[in-house]
Amino acid sequence: MSKIWTIGWNMVKRTIGSRRGLLLHIFLPGIVIAGIISITGGSDNSSSGTVLYTNLDNGPGGRHLLAELKGTGEYELAERSDEQAVKKSVIGQEGVAGLLIPQDYTAQLLDGREPQLTVYELKITEDSVLLKLKAEAIARQMLVTAATVKGAGSDDQAVRFAAILQQAEQHNVSSIKTDYDLYPRQTLGVITGMTLMFLMSLVTSSVNQIMDDRRGRTMMRMYSAPVRAYEITLGNFCGSFLVGLIQIAVVLILGKWVLRYDYEVPMLLYFLVLAAFMFVSMGIAATVAGLIRNPRNAGMLNALILTPTCMLGGCFWPISIMPEYMQKAANFTPQKWAIQAVDIAATGGGWNELWLPFAVLGLMAAILLALGSATLRPNEAGVSA
């Protein structure tokens, strides 16, 4: 065991023992993740926001549309004098979107035509899309009401139409909200994905150091000490894993206690998820280092393993939007199971649900570590040696 810890501690000193290593492997990931948190961390998972509007319609249709949007409780309406004022406010990012109700909005409804609303947005967001959908849904309901009034053959269609809309605004029949927002914050997935990606960058450093030992025949001298192949593998594994734990701790300290970001997950549990993922990452490093003989091929690690697995595992986008065959392939990536564990914890899940992702990550790490020990062959020098 002392041999394993000696090799591991030597790996730690070589990785973060210098200023360059400390900056590259500890401070840089923490600073980058802190930057991502500062940009996205302030976003809330609710869709509430300010809607800037101007109502050019003098009929009941425009008033009813605004009343229904306000009645949802999801928007705060802010009136502007004209269309140019709405555009200027949207450019100034004073609201999530701008809404222009045309002058003949009610007349189009009474004529049986669905009126076209103008929505101004600086960029397409979830809030602006939902605003369009809700406004169109309200317009379709008013269109059905207008058709009913027209079919009744009354002379005062506008008056009856206004009376019905006024009665509808009372909402004598309503529903009870049962959605208590028990789903993970959208930005949490982005932050977790970026954190996993930077943690996997440590794989490249570990592989390069093992390749340097192979090329410089340091590994061959250790093997003749005598030190067994599995001890060399475990030593490198433990050293890189310890560096990864320090990296995780720095990232979480910056995010939780410096930037005050609410992960909505217990810190100990979040740390364990990231540590389990780092466990698998070091298994990948051990396997890759055992398979690669030519140091020049180590540069292909990012293109062939790290980036594709991050893409498949959901670090950059939700797995649910990918094709079905890619969703099935994602089950073989550790990123997918780490993100799933965070999502389960964020929704209040207990260990009766968390045991599966942790078990899968542990199994992956054990298989990769065994494969790395079997393929390391420390008595062989590198191709270019």
Side-chain angles (χ1 to χ4, degrees), residues 159-368:
V159 176
R160 292 177 61 86
F161 182 60
I164 295 175
L165 293 183
Q166 186 177 6
Q167 186 66 30
E169 293 172 9
Q170 302 299 321
H171 291 286
N172 296 321
V173 178
S174 60
S175 59
I176 298 175
K177 181 179 179 180
T178 57
D179 182 8
Y180 298 102
D181 296 333
L182 295 178
Y183 44 84
R185 180 182 296 178
Q186 187 177 5
T187 55
L188 179 60
V190 176
I191 292 171
T192 302
M194 294 297 102
T195 303
L196 297 180
M197 186 181 68
F198 275 96
L199 291 179
M200 283 208 77
S201 65
L202 195 60
V203 173
T204 304
S205 174
S206 301
V207 171
N208 288 334
Q209 292 195 30
I210 294 175
M211 295 305 299
D212 289 341
D213 289 344
R214 187 187 299 279
R215 183 173 58 251
R217 301 182 186 273
T218 303
M219 189 177 296
M220 187 179 296
R221 290 194 294 271
M222 281 192 296
Y223 189 63
S224 62
V227 178
R228 298 182 181 274
Y230 79 88
E231 292 176 324
I232 297 175
T233 303
L234 285 176
N236 292 322
F237 178 92
C238 293
S240 299
F241 183 67
L242 181 58
V243 174
L245 293 182
I246 298 173
Q247 194 178 81
I248 294 170
V250 171
V251 169
L252 294 184
I253 289 173
L254 283 175
K256 178 68 175 179
W257 288 281
V258 177
L259 297 177
R260 304 289 184 180
Y261 177 74
D262 184 11
Y263 286 92
E264 298 182 348
V265 178
M267 280 295 96
L268 178 59
L269 182 56
Y270 197 65
F271 180 84
L272 290 177
V273 172
L274 297 181
F277 175 79
M278 179 57 67
F279 204 62
V280 182
S281 298
M282 293 304 99
I284 294 175
T287 301
V288 173
L291 294 175
I292 294 179
R293 290 292 178 269
N294 190 343
R296 297 177 181 176
N297 295 334
M300 302 172 61
L301 182 61
N302 285 323
L304 296 181
I305 297 179
L306 301 188
T307 302
T309 56
C310 286
M311 294 171 66
L312 274 177
C315 291
F316 305 129
W317 47 70
I319 295 179
S320 58
I321 69 173
M322 298 192 303
E324 185 177 355
Y325 70 94
M326 294 182 68
Q327 294 185 30
K328 293 180 179 179
N331 291 323
F332 296 94
T333 63
Q335 292 91 335
K336 185 256 186 183
W337 295 101
I339 293 175
Q340 180 175 318
V342 173
D343 289 344
I344 292 174
T347 55
W351 284 103
N352 58 330
E353 299 176 80
L354 286 169
W355 72 269
L356 179 59
F358 273 97
V360 172
L361 290 173
L363 182 61
M364 286 183 177
I367 293 174
L368 291 170

